[in-house]
């Protein structure tokens, strides 16, 4: 393994660099909000390379008992497709294994569906025996 996963809050500069590397401008346009959001998360996991550079991050919001919402899984552009995102998600799932529902919202890329289904997630409209609905309101 060329990286180490730990529970920690990265520095503001590290967050801005990581989110900027994948052009998540909704986050990087307001540095203070990004830092506050990460700081207020239920669980924040980081992936660092052999020299300690932040290369990935995953975070959740939760009540700790009934629901955990995975807000972000982000891996720097130059470190994608190396298993870091999967390792971060697997560790989040391990840390939330006693929580009844783990949910997330992501874009519609085909690879996204395959990635999350490989971790036993089900799209809301495919859930059985009773179909679920998901709603979102962006501002």
């Amino acid at each position: 393994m060329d990286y180490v996963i730990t529970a920690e809050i990265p520095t503001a500069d590290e967050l801005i660099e990581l989110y900027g590397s994948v052009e998540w401008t909704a986050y990087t346009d307001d540095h203070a909000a990004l830092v506050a959001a990460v700081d207020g998360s239920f669980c924040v996991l980081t992936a660092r390379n052999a020299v300690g550079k932040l290369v990935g991050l995953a975070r959740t919001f939760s009540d700790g008992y009934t629901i955990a919402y995975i807000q972000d899984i982000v891996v720097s552009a130059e470190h994608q497709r190396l298993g870091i995102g999967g390792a971060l998600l697997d560790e989040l799932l391990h840390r939330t294994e006693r929580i009844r529902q783990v949910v997330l919202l992501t874009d519609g890329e085909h690879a996204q569906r395959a990635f999350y289904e490989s971790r036993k997630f089900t799209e809301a409209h495919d859930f059985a025996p009773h179909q679920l609905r998901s709603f979102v309101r962006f501002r």
Side-chain angles (χ1 to χ4, degrees), residues 14-25 27-28 34 74:
E14 288 178 316
L15 290 171
I16 293 160
E17 182 180 348
L18 177 63
Y19 282 75
S21 79
V22 294
E23 300 178 0
W24 284 14
T25 57
Y27 290 93
T28 58
L34 172 59
V74 57

Side-chain angles (χ1 to χ4, degrees), residues 43-119:
C43 180
V44 178
L45 299 176
T46 62
R48 293 186 180 274
N49 67 12
V51 296
K53 179 178 172 61
L54 182 68
V55 298
L57 178 140
R59 66 188 182 104
T60 63
F61 293 96
S62 179
D63 61 15
Y65 297 96
T66 62
I67 191 163
Y69 182 84
I70 298 174
Q71 176 59 32
D72 296 328
I73 300 175
V74 57
V75 176
S76 67
E78 64 272 14
H79 292 91
Q80 292 180 1
R81 306 276 185 236
L82 300 175
I84 296 169
L88 285 164
L89 178 55
D90 291 344
E91 184 61 22
L92 276 182
L93 293 173
H94 172 71
R95 289 174 183 249
T96 58
E97 67 187 1
R98 294 184 179 176
I99 297 174
R100 182 173 177 260
Q101 295 178 67
V102 178
V103 298
L104 64 98
L105 178 69
T106 188
D107 58 36
E109 292 180 26
H110 179 71
Q112 295 283 7
R113 181 178 175 131
F115 174 72
Y116 290 111
E117 285 180 342
S118 76
R119 269 48 180 205

Side-chain angles (χ1 to χ4, degrees), residues 116-132:
Y116 290 111
E117 285 180 342
S118 76
R119 269 48 180 205
K120 300 194 181 349
F121 280 84
T122 303
E123 274 201 73
H125 63 79
D126 292 339
F127 196 80
H130 305 289
Q131 191 176 44
L132 297 176

